[in-house]
Amino acid sequence: MSTIQILGTGSALPEQIRTNGDIEKLVDTSDAWIQERTGIKDRRIADGAAGESVASLAAKAAARALENAGKHPEEVDLILVATCSPEYLLPCCACQVQAEIGAKKAVAFDLNAACSGFLFGLQTAYCYLQSGIYKNALIIGSEVLSKLVDWEDRGTCILFGDGAGAVYVETVEENGRVWSMVQGSNGAKGMILSCKERDLTTPTPDLFIRMNGQEVYKFATRQVPLCIEEALQQANLTVENIDLFLLHQANVRILESIAHRLKVSMEKIPKNLETRGNMSSAAIPVLLDECNRAGKLHRGDTIVLSGFGAGLTYGACIMTW
Amino acid sequence: MLEKLVEIIEEQLNVEGVEITEKTDFQNDLEADSLDLFELSMAIEEAFEVEIPSEELSQFTTVGSVIEYLKANGMELPGLVAGSDVKIAPIVSSKRALQVILRYWKKHYDRKPDLVVIEGPKAGGHLGFSGEELEKYETENYDSVIEEILTLTKPEGIPVVVAGGVYTRQDMEHCLALGADGVQLATRFVTTYECDAHPAYKQAYIDAKPEDIVIVKSPVGMPGRAIRNDFLEQVEQGNRFMKGCRKCITTCDPKTVPYCITQALINAVEGRVEEGLLFCGSNAYLATKLEHVQEIMEEFS
C-alpha cells in the first residue's frame, strides 16, 4: 500500500528575541500573568532590515529540510507554502521559495488556512502524491505575524511569534504504515479570530489581528479532541497507540485542556511555545523539526499532528514517522 | 445539584482532599484563575446542557454562586413544582435563553413553560442584558428579538407576555400587533394612589427627567435601571454603605460591594429616597401626577 513519509525537516527562526519583560514596556501586563495564562516566556520577532521575511525564512527552512532528507532542490515536484502573512500577494511565497532554493522543476503555490495551514498543506500534498500526480513535496509553514499584531492590544500581542518550518515528503510503498486524516471548517464563526485586508468599502480599515480569546479557547479545546478521536477511529487506533501528539502551539492551557480531555499525559505532548509563542502555520513544522533533531522521533513511531485556528479551521492526521 | 457540581470541580480544577461546600471560593480556596473558571464554565455547560455567556463568568465567585446562577436561570424550576399544579413562566430576554430552557426542560423534565415573559431592555430594575447590549438596543429595535422568540413559542402554543417599556395603550397595541398575547406593566402603576410605596418614592418618579434615568451596575453583578440621586452619586464617588449582611444572595460579596442592595431597596420603598436605590422603568419620567388604577385600566381596555 502506498502512503507518504516525512523524510526531512527544517526550520528557521529570526535572531531577535522579544521577552515578556519587553512587552511589559509596551502594554499593561506582566511576565507572571503572561506565563500563567499562556505558558509563553519569549518569542522571536523578524527584523526586516536584516532581510528576515516570510519568504526568506521559508526558503531557509525548506533548504534545511531538503538537506536533512539528503535531497537536491531540483528533485522537488511540489512546493506548498502555508502562510497568512506573506510580503507579496503576487507572486505567491511558494514561487519566491522556488526561485530562492532553485527548485526549477517544482510547481509552487500558497494556501491559507491560518494555524491549520501547514496541516492542510500536508494533507493536500498527500492527495497529490497518493493520486500519483507527484512523487514528492515540500510543505512549508512560514509567518511574520509581528507585523499583523497590534502592539497596543495586550490581549493578542503577547501571543504571537515569527518563524518558519518545513518538511519534505515522498510517496512510499510499504505495508503497515498508518495514515488517516480529518479536516473541518466553520466559517460561521470566522470573525472570532480575524485580520482584515484592504478592500473597496473601508477607507481606513483596522488591519490588525482581532480575537475573541474565550470563544477561540472554547473552539480549540472542544474541537481538537473530537477531530483527533475521529482520526484515531479512522485508523482503528486508540490514544495508547500514539507515541507523540504534535499539536498547534497556541497556548499551554489549551494543550493541557486537550490532554485532559483525551486522557493523555502531557509527556506525550511536546511543546515549544515557551520560547516560540504562537507561530500560526509555522508552529507544527517547527515543533516537528525540533523533536526530530532532538531524537524524540523514531522511525516506526505513530504520531498525531493536529492544527486549529482562524477560519475557523481544524484538522488532524495520524501517520507513521 | 451540589454533588454533581463538586464532582465537576474536583475533576476540572484537579482538587483532592479539600472539602468543597457552597461557601468554597474558587479564587481564594481553590486557587483558580480566570482561565480555570472559564474551563469550569465549559464543563458545567456540558454537564448541565446550558449556555453560560462569558460576560456572566464574573458572577462565579463561590460554589454557591454557581448553584444560584443555575437556579436563577430557571433550569431546575420544573423540579421545584413537580407534583403540584403551580404554573411556571420563565422570564427571558433573548431567543437563545429560551432555546436553552426549552431544550433542558424537555430533556430532563419533559415539560414546557405555561407562559413566557419577554423582558425587553427598557424594563426597570435588574436587566437580563450586558451593558453593551443595553447600549445596542437603545438605538436598535428590540421588536425583531420579540419576533424571534415568538417563532419558538407559537408552534408550542405557549402564551407570551411582553414586559419592559410598556406604558401606554399604544405601547400595548404595538406588542399585540407583533404577536404577543399580553403585556406586563409595572412602572405605570407606581404613580397611582393605590400603590403602597412611600409618597416620596412616587414623587421621585414624577420629578424625574429623561436624563435622570440611568443604568447602574448593581452589587449582584447585573446592570439595572434606576433614578439618579444623591445616593448613586455618592456610590459613584466611591463611598461605601455597608452595615451588616442579610445573606440574601450568594453572588454578592459583602466585603467588596459598595452597598447592600436589599437595604437600598428597602430605603427607597420606605421613603428614604436620598439613601435608596430607586429602580424604575425607562418611561418613569412620563409620570406627571398621581392617577387611579381604574383610570389606567380604562385606558387599556
Side-chain angles (χ1 to χ4, degrees):
Chain A
M1 199 189 95
S2 93
T3 177
I4 66 169
Q5 182 171 22
I6 296 176
L7 292 176
T9 62
S11 57
L13 297 170
E15 290 291 321
Q16 201 187 150
I17 294 172
R18 188 165 295 173
T19 65
N20 290 348
D22 296 332
I23 296 180
E24 279 175 4
K25 291 171 201 146
L26 302 173
V27 289
D28 180 18
T29 189
S30 78
D31 178 34
W33 195 95
I34 298 173
Q35 284 200 48
E36 247 170 58
R37 302 301 198 290
T38 69
I40 300 165
K41 285 183 181 165
D42 47 65
R43 68 288 289 144
R44 300 298 182 98
I45 301 292
D47 178 3
E52 289 172 343
S53 65
V54 170
S56 71
L57 292 167
K60 251 187 213 165
R64 287 176 183 158
L66 286 176
E67 194 190 335
N68 185 241
K71 299 288 167 180
H72 194 269
E74 289 187 6
E75 296 173 65
V76 176
D77 288 340
L78 172 67
I79 300 174
L80 292 178
V81 172
T83 184
C84 59
S85 55
E87 283 78 37
Y88 286 88
L89 292 177
L90 313 168
C92 68
C93 182
C95 285
Q96 291 178 275
V97 171
Q98 179 200 19
E100 180 70 27
I101 64 173
K104 287 180 195 147
K105 176 179 95 169
V107 62
F109 62 91
D110 289 1
L111 59 86
N112 173 0
C115 302
S116 310
F118 170 79
L119 188 81
F120 281 19
L122 183 69
Q123 291 168 331
T124 304
Y126 168 83
C127 298
Y128 272 110
L129 268 54
Q130 196 61 9
S131 66
I133 297 172
Y134 302 120
K135 295 277 171 253
N136 66 60
L138 257 178
I139 305 104
I140 307 158
S142 182
E143 305 286 2
V144 174
L145 297 173
S146 56
K147 69 180 183 202
L148 303 181
V149 162
D150 177 359
W151 290 99
E152 289 176 2
D153 175 9
R154 64 176 178 173
T156 54
C157 76
I158 60 173
L159 299 173
F160 300 102
D162 301 338
V167 299
Y168 172 83
V169 298
E170 269 185 14
T171 309
V172 283
E173 302 285 343
E174 196 183 302
N175 287 332
R177 294 186 68 85
V178 179
W179 173 271
S180 77
M181 63 182 253
V182 172
Q183 295 180 299
S185 302
N186 180 4
K189 288 221 166 161
M191 287 305 156
I192 66 174
L193 178 49
S194 67
C195 183
K196 198 161 176 2
E197 178 52 284
R198 288 173 302 181
D199 71 9
L200 294 174
T201 54
T202 327
T204 49
D206 169 19
L207 297 175
F208 293 120
I209 293 175
R210 299 296 173 206
M211 177 172 88
N212 178 336
Q214 284 178 322
E215 284 298 319
V216 172
Y217 191 92
K218 203 179 254 191
F219 152 69
T221 53
R222 283 192 177 149
Q223 196 66 61
V224 174
L226 286 181
C227 73
I228 290 177
E229 271 159 14
E230 195 184 328
L232 284 166
Q233 218 166 14
Q234 243 184 60
N236 212 3
L237 298 172
T238 66
V239 286
E240 284 78 40
N241 300 116
I242 303 301
D243 298 293
L244 274 188
F245 292 82
L246 295 121
L247 309 182
H248 173 56
Q249 305 279 303
N251 181 322
V252 74
R253 301 285 286 269
I254 291 179
L255 297 181
E256 285 167 0
S257 177
I258 292 169
H260 182 80
R261 281 166 183 255
L262 287 175
K263 300 195 169 50
V264 168
S265 151
M266 277 302 282
E267 279 165 32
K268 280 193 175 182
I269 304 183
K271 51 183 198 284
N272 66 1
L273 47 61
E274 201 171 87
T275 54
R276 305 279 177 264
N278 177 350
M279 298 185 293
S280 190
S281 70
I284 295 175
V286 170
L287 183 68
L288 251 176
D289 184 48
E290 289 170 353
C291 288
N292 184 25
R293 287 171 197 263
K296 288 182 190 161
L297 291 164
H298 314 97
R299 289 295 165 198
D301 280 359
T302 309
I303 61 171
V304 167
L305 307 180
S306 180
F308 52 89
L312 302 171
T313 56
Y314 54 91
C317 97
I318 303 178
M319 64 193 302
T320 307
W321 176 252
Chain B
M1 198 191 305
L2 179 64
E3 208 172 306
K4 190 169 174 188
L5 206 51
V6 168
E7 213 173 283
I8 297 169
I9 292 166
E10 283 177 340
E11 145 101 11
Q12 208 60 47
L13 301 181
N14 249 333
V15 284
E16 274 175 54
V18 183
E19 200 204 345
I20 296 174
T21 67
E22 294 200 13
K23 289 214 164 58
T24 305
D25 186 296
F26 292 117
Q27 208 180 334
N28 297 327
D29 301 329
L30 303 178
E31 290 174 4
D33 68 17
S34 57
L35 265 182
D36 290 321
L37 272 184
F38 186 66
E39 282 262 356
L40 183 65
S41 80
M42 284 173 59
I44 292 169
E45 283 183 338
E46 283 154 25
F48 291 89
E49 288 175 73
V50 296
E51 270 183 69
I52 303 172
S54 48
E55 60 271 14
E56 306 212 333
L57 268 182
S58 57
Q59 294 175 32
F60 292 179
T61 50
T62 61
V63 174
S65 68
V66 177
I67 295 178
E68 193 100 8
Y69 177 86
L70 292 171
K71 281 189 187 158
N73 278 269
M75 303 316 292
E76 309 297 340
L77 198 51
L80 298 176
V81 300
S84 74
D85 58 0
V86 174
K87 304 277 186 249
I88 48 179
I91 303 173
V92 298
S93 295
S94 68
K95 182 183 179 186
R96 197 176 71 164
L98 183 61
Q99 238 164 358
V100 170
I101 289 173
L102 290 179
R103 223 184 289 141
Y104 190 84
W105 287 10
K106 172 112 189 83
K107 183 170 165 147
H108 294 266
Y109 299 102
D110 194 26
R111 166 136 199 199
K112 57 189 184 190
D114 299 297
L115 172 82
V116 167
V117 179
I118 302 175
E119 192 185 271
K122 290 166 102 180
H126 287 136
L127 301 164
F129 299 90
S130 67
E132 275 167 31
E133 285 173 319
L134 285 172
E135 265 171 43
K136 183 176 83 179
Y137 285 124
E138 260 166 8
T139 46
E140 205 178 275
N141 206 324
Y142 190 68
D143 287 355
S144 59
V145 179
I146 295 176
E147 283 167 343
E148 275 177 23
I149 295 174
L150 287 167
T151 63
L152 291 179
T153 55
K154 288 283 168 195
E156 298 280 341
I158 306 168
V160 166
V161 164
V162 172
V166 183
Y167 199 85
T168 63
R169 182 190 175 100
Q170 211 182 347
D171 296 334
M172 173 185 74
E173 280 167 355
H174 178 73
C175 293
L176 297 184
L178 285 176
D181 301 285
V183 291
Q184 188 175 299
L185 281 72
T187 296
R188 178 76 184 267
F189 287 105
V190 171
T191 47
T192 57
Y193 293 101
E194 293 82 358
C195 174
D196 65 356
H198 192 279
Y201 183 76
K202 299 178 188 177
Q203 195 58 43
Y205 271 47
I206 292 170
D207 294 341
K209 292 184 275 298
E211 60 270 26
D212 297 329
I213 297 169
V214 295
I215 299 291
V216 296
K217 192 172 182 301
S218 135
V220 301
M222 282 186 258
R225 181 173 280 110
I227 298 173
R228 174 183 281 284
N229 61 357
D230 187 49
F231 172 73
L232 282 181
E233 272 162 27
Q234 290 205 41
V235 169
E236 234 167 55
Q237 287 160 14
N239 292 337
R240 291 195 70 215
F241 302 88
M242 276 302 292
K243 275 181 274 165
C245 173
R246 294 161 188 269
K247 299 195 170 54
C248 56
I249 184 162
T250 51
T251 50
C252 176
D253 179 3
K255 288 194 287 282
T256 56
V257 297
Y259 58 90
C260 168
I261 183 136
T262 302
Q263 189 59 53
L265 291 173
I266 291 172
N267 288 349
V269 169
E270 292 182 349
R272 295 183 295 281
V273 290
E274 285 312 312
E275 298 162 42
L277 178 59
L278 306 172
F279 271 164
C280 71
S282 59
N283 288 327
Y285 69 92
L286 290 175
T288 53
K289 57 177 175 42
L290 291 180
E291 51 189 341
H292 285 286
V293 168
Q294 196 183 341
E295 295 169 59
I296 300 175
M297 295 311 285
E298 274 163 11
E299 178 187 327
F300 278 82
S301 52

